[in-house]
Amino acid sequence: MQDQQPKKKFRLGQFLFKNASGMFGLLLVIVSVSCALFAPWIAPFDPTEAQLTSRLAPPSISGADTAHLLGADQIGRDLFSRIIYGARISLMVGFFGVLLAMVVGTILGLISGYVGKWMDDLIMRLADIQLAFPFILFAIIIMSVLGTGIWKIVIILGLTYWVGFARLIRGQVMSLKELEYIQAAKAVGGSHIRIIGKHIFPNVVSSILVLGTLFIAEFILLEASLTFLGLGVDPTIPSWGGMLSDSRNYISSAWWTATFPGIAIMITVLGFNLFGDWLRDKFDPNLDV
């Protein structure tokens, strides 16, 4: 009777050590998402309530009911509460913007790579035109027609960044459709929809998820940039970009009004970037984004 090979034990510490940056990124993502989901229970104040007696109050950890942990803004609104609620806007734009870009880009990328010929040329020329069009100019045009708002930003980001998904998927589909098992599926009469859905799409899902994770971080930055320029979220809604815009005239006298929203953006973007890099190394190390 042959000796059985001893089973390798899963060592949590070793796993975390090997993937320290990825796990740290995941932790930051979990913190950001938790703040967005549980904002009403975490925030100590109403983020839109102004208290002129607390105008530009500095950060305080005294524990008093009127104390502002991260200070207050120019009209006395609690910064900590506004940052917590601002996570909702940034993550909403990031997730739904990526979802829209992912759906549009995936469909067009699959069609372009699988059908080829004139369809490929048409879709790729549209992609080239999109890449040549300045993002800020495109945002200004859309905002002037549709007005400002969260969902307008989602539409702008989705209609701009579908190109990244389409080009990535197109290249992978063009390689996959030449493989023997794909040719065999065609030979036995498999429909194009079945071949794409059963044999091609599952092989590109990992690349789609990796790119989507990295794009969430970029979308958060873009949303903050558009809101900072007055092209994004309504000023009455707590958002990180809006907080930075409001603090421009108080940086020298009230540093906390700009510092803490900036740190919130940095932490969230860093978390998604680290987590996305880890996913890329794990699932698709050859992905070039």
Side-chain angles (χ1 to χ4, degrees):
M1 185 175 179
Q2 295 181 350
D3 295 335
Q4 294 182 348
Q5 294 291 335
K7 295 183 179 180
K8 294 183 178 180
K9 294 182 179 180
F10 174 74
R11 299 181 183 276
L12 179 61
Q14 184 179 5
F15 176 77
L16 293 176
F17 178 77
K18 287 183 178 180
N19 304 279
S21 62
M23 293 299 102
F24 180 65
L26 178 59
L27 177 62
L28 295 180
V29 169
I30 292 174
V31 170
S32 299
V33 173
S34 298
C35 289
L37 292 177
F38 303 107
W41 295 275
I42 298 176
F45 294 92
D46 184 342
T48 60
E49 181 182 357
Q51 298 178 355
L52 294 181
T53 56
S54 300
R55 182 177 182 272
L56 297 179
S60 174
I61 55 174
S62 63
D65 292 339
T66 57
H68 299 279
L69 180 63
L70 301 182
D73 64 7
Q74 70 277 7
I75 59 174
R77 294 173 298 190
D78 182 62
L79 276 181
F80 179 68
S81 300
R82 290 179 63 79
I83 288 174
I84 294 298
Y85 274 88
R88 289 184 161 187
I89 303 301
S90 295
L91 293 178
M92 184 184 300
V93 171
F95 283 121
F96 286 103
V98 165
L99 181 61
L100 178 59
M102 186 184 298
V103 171
V104 175
T106 299
I107 294 174
L108 294 179
L110 289 171
I111 295 173
S112 177
Y114 187 82
V115 176
K117 300 179 181 179
W118 67 269
M119 183 65 72
D120 179 38
D121 291 337
L122 175 61
I123 294 175
M124 287 300 102
R125 295 302 74 78
L126 289 175
D128 292 338
I129 294 173
Q130 180 67 62
L131 290 174
F133 207 82
F135 172 76
I136 293 297
L137 180 58
F138 182 69
I140 292 174
I141 293 174
I142 296 296
M143 290 298 185
S144 63
V145 175
L146 301 179
T148 59
I150 298 174
W151 298 111
K152 312 300 192 308
I153 300 177
V154 170
I155 293 173
I156 291 172
L157 294 174
L159 295 181
T160 302
Y161 280 81
W162 66 268
V163 178
F165 289 98
R167 294 179 63 152
L168 171 67
I169 295 168
R170 169 185 176 268
Q172 294 189 343
V173 171
M174 292 180 70
S175 299
L176 289 170
K177 72 178 184 179
E178 300 300 330
L179 298 179
E180 293 182 357
Y181 73 95
I182 301 294
Q183 297 299 324
K186 291 180 180 179
V188 298
S191 66
H192 298 307
I193 299 297
R194 179 178 176 82
I195 292 173
I196 292 175
K198 185 175 182 180
H199 301 293
I200 294 181
F201 180 72
N203 288 291
V204 300
V205 169
S206 61
S207 298
I208 295 172
L209 294 178
V210 171
L211 187 59
T213 304
L214 295 173
F215 271 177
I216 289 176
E218 188 168 354
F219 283 14
I220 291 173
L221 283 176
L222 290 173
E223 179 275 324
S225 301
L226 289 174
T227 304
F228 181 84
L229 296 173
L231 300 173
V233 179
D234 189 282
T236 60
I237 300 176
S239 65
W240 294 339
M243 295 172 70
L244 290 176
S245 179
D246 293 339
S247 66
R248 284 179 294 180
N249 298 325
Y250 305 96
I251 293 178
S252 59
S253 59
W255 56 267
W256 53 90
T257 58
T259 301
F260 292 120
I263 291 175
I265 295 173
M266 181 193 71
I267 290 175
T268 305
V269 171
L270 177 63
F272 278 104
N273 278 332
L274 290 176
F275 183 57
D277 286 340
W278 177 70
L279 286 179
R280 178 179 58 186
D281 295 338
K282 185 174 181 61
F283 296 110
D284 200 351
N286 296 320
L287 179 62
D288 185 15
V289 295

